[in-house]
Amino acid sequence: MSEELMNTTDREKLSVLIITLNEEGHIKSLLEDIDFADEIIVVDSYSTDRTLDIIESFKNVKVIQNPFVNYTSQRNFAIDQAKNSWILFIDADERLTPELKLEIAATINQKDTASAYFIYRTFMFQSRKLHFSGWQTDKIFRLFNKTNCRYNQDRMVHEKLIVNGSISTLKNKIIHFSYTSFSDYKAKMYSYGVLKANEKQKKGQKSSRLLMIFHPVYTFLYQFLVRLGFLDGAKGITICYLNAYSVFIRYKELFRITSSKT
């Protein structure tokens, strides 16, 4: 990417969007990392730790408080706040490499851009790279033109971006510091499981004791054996177990919800 491209007044501008809740351990490093953005908006759902104090120390960052209903509604709300067409969504526990930042800036200024771009992620387990366990092919929509994209409102978690137009993939990866401790990651998996249960209940789906047992077991074995989690050693066992735990919570919560309504 040339310096002339970055300095032209007609270059495409980028809005970076972040949703937060109690992210004091991550947010400062992230905001320092995205100084290349033209607009930075943080949508916070009433954090009770130092997250807001840290955000407000960055004068170039706009923070908006919005109650959290689910991940999809929070992301769509954030999109509506952005001034620019090009959106980069990034989570508080993610980081951009210098190469990825250059690639993003160059990509949105190309003549023939796609409507949305997948970005692969490198999963970090307590600051060390996890090589397998299902994460080796993890990619997610992070960069897109909001005029052609919107998150599917039927999803509450593991959001699905609906793209009207072409799709491409960036070469460089996001660094994903998702796993900092067993308790934190377990709490996250529990939250995902509950949201997924509510999503399934709204679609009229039901649980059973068999699903509550066999689907988590299948998830663990698939990620540990087929997706090579055993090659990650003890880290692989931990991640595969916690992902299976989230599936168990999904069906346990769905069973509770549907049983209470009968």
Side-chain angles (χ1 to χ4, degrees), residues 28-247:
K28 184 175 186 292
S29 296
L30 174 60
L31 293 178
E32 290 173 342
D33 193 42
I34 54 175
D35 55 354
F36 74 112
D38 299 287
E39 178 183 47
I40 302 172
I41 299 175
V42 178
V43 177
D44 183 76
S45 48
Y46 300 94
S47 291
T48 56
D49 62 1
R50 294 184 58 252
T51 297
L52 282 178
D53 292 335
I54 296 170
I55 295 171
E56 289 170 353
S57 70
F58 289 81
K59 303 306 179 184
N60 62 326
V61 178
K62 180 179 180 180
V63 59
I64 302 170
Q65 293 278 27
N66 191 58
F68 183 88
V69 177
N70 58 60
Y71 287 98
T72 293
S73 64
Q74 200 77 333
R75 288 190 185 277
N76 282 335
F77 174 84
I79 290 172
D80 292 337
Q81 315 310 309
K83 294 187 298 185
N84 303 309
S85 296
W86 279 104
I87 302 295
L88 175 66
F89 244 120
I90 188 161
D91 292 343
D93 60 2
E94 295 175 338
R95 299 292 179 272
L96 307 178
T97 64
E99 295 80 9
L100 179 55
K101 287 190 277 190
L102 287 171
E103 185 180 9
I104 289 169
T107 296
I108 65 175
N109 282 284
Q110 293 173 350
K111 288 184 178 180
D112 299 316
T113 58
S115 294
Y117 292 86
F118 280 114
I119 304 180
Y120 281 96
R121 294 190 294 182
T122 298
F123 189 97
M124 304 299 289
F125 186 104
Q126 292 178 328
S127 299
R128 296 185 65 182
K129 182 179 177 180
L130 195 75
H131 294 279
F132 301 101
S133 306
W135 289 100
Q136 60 267 46
T137 56
D138 176 42
K139 63 180 180 180
I140 192 168
F141 282 121
R142 279 287 185 255
L143 179 67
F144 57 88
N145 192 312
K146 72 175 184 180
T147 59
N148 300 316
C149 302
R150 192 78 176 174
Y151 286 97
N152 186 344
Q153 294 182 351
D154 293 336
R155 291 280 191 98
M156 295 185 180
V157 65
H158 303 140
E159 311 86 288
K160 181 179 180 180
L161 189 70
I162 305 300
V163 181
N164 181 19
S166 60
I167 294 170
S168 188
T169 304
L170 298 186
K171 295 178 181 179
N172 293 285
K173 294 183 179 182
I174 286 175
I175 310 300
H176 189 199
F177 292 93
S178 185
Y179 189 100
T180 54
S181 71
F182 182 88
S183 59
D184 285 347
Y185 198 82
K186 185 175 183 180
K188 184 185 296 186
M189 292 300 99
Y190 181 91
S191 174
Y192 288 171
V194 170
L195 285 169
K196 198 68 178 178
N198 282 276
E199 178 185 306
K200 285 184 171 291
Q201 187 272 329
K202 286 192 173 183
K203 294 179 180 178
Q205 299 179 25
K206 293 185 178 181
S207 180
S208 68
R209 296 190 188 279
L210 285 176
L211 280 172
M212 210 181 303
I213 296 171
F214 287 109
H215 198 159
V217 170
Y218 168 81
T219 298
F220 177 85
L221 293 176
Y222 179 78
Q223 294 187 351
F224 191 69
L225 298 176
V226 179
R227 302 294 283 160
L228 305 178
F230 66 91
L231 293 177
D232 283 319
K235 294 184 292 185
I237 295 173
T238 300
I239 289 297
C240 293
Y241 162 74
L242 288 174
N243 289 338
Y245 167 77
S246 184
V247 176

Side-chain angles (χ1 to χ4, degrees), residues 234-260:
K235 294 184 292 185
I237 295 173
T238 300
I239 289 297
C240 293
Y241 162 74
L242 288 174
N243 289 338
Y245 167 77
S246 184
V247 176
F248 169 74
I249 294 299
R250 176 195 311 175
Y251 287 106
K252 179 182 178 183
E253 181 68 10
L254 181 59
F255 187 84
R256 183 192 68 79
I257 295 170
T258 54
S259 297
S260 65

Side-chain angles (χ1 to χ4, degrees), residues 4-39:
E4 289 80 7
L5 174 62
M6 292 301 298
N7 290 332
T8 53
T9 57
D10 59 346
R11 69 177 178 83
E12 293 289 339
K13 293 186 177 182
L14 179 70
S15 292
V16 174
L17 306 181
I18 309 158
I19 58 175
T20 58
L21 172 64
N22 294 336
E23 293 285 0
E24 66 178 9
H26 290 290
I27 194 64
K28 184 175 186 292
S29 296
L30 174 60
L31 293 178
E32 290 173 342
D33 193 42
I34 54 175
D35 55 354
F36 74 112
D38 299 287
E39 178 183 47

